[in-house]
Structures are given as C-alpha cells and as structure tokens.
Amino acid sequence: MKVGIYPGSFDPITLGHLDIIVRASGLVDQLIIGVLKNNAKKPLFAVEERVAMIEKVLGEQYNLPDIQVKAFDGLLIDFAAKEDAAIIVRGLRAITDFEYELQIAQTNHKLNHKIDTVFFTTSVEYSYLSSSAVKEIASFGGDITQFVPGCIVQDIFDKYK
Ligand code: PNS
C-alpha cells in the first residue's frame, strides 16, 4: 500500500490546501495529513483545533478516499518513515515557494533516500492564497468565505472575538 504524507501547519486549512488534498489523495492508497505541532510560527490554533477543523472539512467532502489527519512533532522525515510513507506531498504556489521547498525536499531526501517529495502546482485560483492572509483578513473582520471551507469560517472569526 502506497502511503503519502501531506504535511503543514494548516493554521487554518484553506481552499488551496483542500485542493491539494483532493488531488493528492488520488495518487496514493492512503493519504495522511500531518499537522505540525510545535511550530516556530506560533500558530493561532492549537494543534488539536487544527486537526479538528481539517476533519470537519473532510467530513463534508464527497467521494474522497479514507484520509487520516495526524499531529506530528519533530522531524517530518521521521514522521513519514514511522507512517511507512513513500512520498511527501507539498504544494507550490509560485516561484517564491520553490527555493525553500527545494531545500527542504533535498534535505529530507538526504536524511532518508527511501522517501521522495512530490510537488503539486497549486490550481491557479489559489495561487495567491495563504493561511497568513486569511488570518490577517479575519482579524480585521474581512470576508474570508472565498478562501476557506464554509464550515470553518466561524471557527476563525471566533478566535478574534
Ligand atoms: O505549512 P507549512 O508551515 O509551510 O509547513 C512546513 C512544514 C511543516 C512542512 C515544515 O516546517 C516541516 O517539515 N517541519 C518539521 C521539521 C522538519 O522536518 N524540518 C525540515 C528539516 S530541513
């Protein structure tokens, strides 16, 4: 069985992430969404909240294969090996993502040759989208409905009450 890991902060999950999840889930037998626990970026949502939001979003999708959501800590490559993953999935929005992603992918491959990183180019309608932008818009009470799945819009606004 081919297992893939889609790792990230998901603080919060966006429609861009969901697009990658849907597309990547067709590439592997089992997709595991790895949610980074101890993030230097100081996340807005606790890891349990981020996992719960992703599970809620996936619960609303039709025709998706079984996708697991798991929190992880430490090195991504160790988490991927523990889960017996063959690939790590990452999304590339623009050339600005590339340098950072290339470095991480090559470093991870150095650490474990058995696991490759596969890049999905983001669908054009989400090429500008980031969790940081969503948080900034929400913090000023702006409309985030076109950026995140509808079922988590209120969860995000609740953080800024
Ligand atoms: O959504 P993000 O914040 O861009 O995701 C970044 C993530 C989680 C993929 C990256 O920070 C990560 O893998 N962190 C775990 C620590 C690690 O393995 N670092 C890479 C060693 S070079």
Side-chain angles (χ1 to χ4, degrees):
M1 186 171 82
K2 187 171 277 186
V3 176
I5 303 278
Y6 179 40
S9 304
F10 303 104
D11 186 41
I13 183 173
T14 67
L15 288 173
H17 292 131
L18 183 58
D19 174 57
I20 302 283
I21 290 168
V22 171
R23 290 158 62 200
S25 64
L27 196 77
V28 289
D29 301 308
Q30 167 82 72
L31 185 70
I32 299 172
I33 302 176
V35 185
L36 183 63
K37 207 185 242 176
N38 280 345
N39 197 329
K41 290 181 188 169
K42 291 211 168 83
L44 176 66
F45 291 94
V47 71
E48 297 79 14
E49 293 175 307
R50 286 178 275 143
V51 167
M53 282 192 290
I54 297 169
E55 283 173 342
K56 183 156 73 164
V57 168
L58 294 182
E60 289 210 327
Q61 302 298 308
Y62 298 102
N63 299 325
L64 273 188
D66 180 36
I67 297 173
Q68 292 184 22
V69 189
K70 295 186 180 183
F72 79 97
D73 213 351
L75 287 179
L76 167 60
I77 201 73
D78 291 342
F79 172 62
K82 189 170 76 77
E83 297 295 337
D84 240 347
I87 62 165
I88 291 168
V89 171
R90 291 285 287 169
L92 281 179
R93 286 169 300 190
I95 194 74
T96 41
D97 281 342
F98 182 72
E99 212 170 321
Y100 169 76
E101 293 295 340
L102 179 70
Q103 188 187 359
I104 302 255
Q106 289 176 330
T107 306
N108 281 336
H109 197 248
K110 266 282 193 204
L111 292 172
N112 188 333
H113 283 266
K114 290 186 189 151
I115 303 174
D116 272 299
T117 299
V118 173
F119 293 108
F120 277 79
T121 52
T122 310
S123 297
V124 279
E125 61 266 44
Y126 305 125
S127 61
Y128 59 86
L129 188 50
S130 71
S131 297
S132 311
V134 167
K135 284 180 280 191
E136 182 153 350
I137 296 164
S139 73
F140 292 111
D143 181 7
I144 55 168
T145 54
Q146 54 183 319
F147 305 132
V148 298
C151 64
I152 63 162
V153 168
Q154 197 53 50
D155 297 330
I156 299 168
F157 280 127
D158 284 349
K159 275 281 168 191
Y160 292 104
K161 268 185 184 163

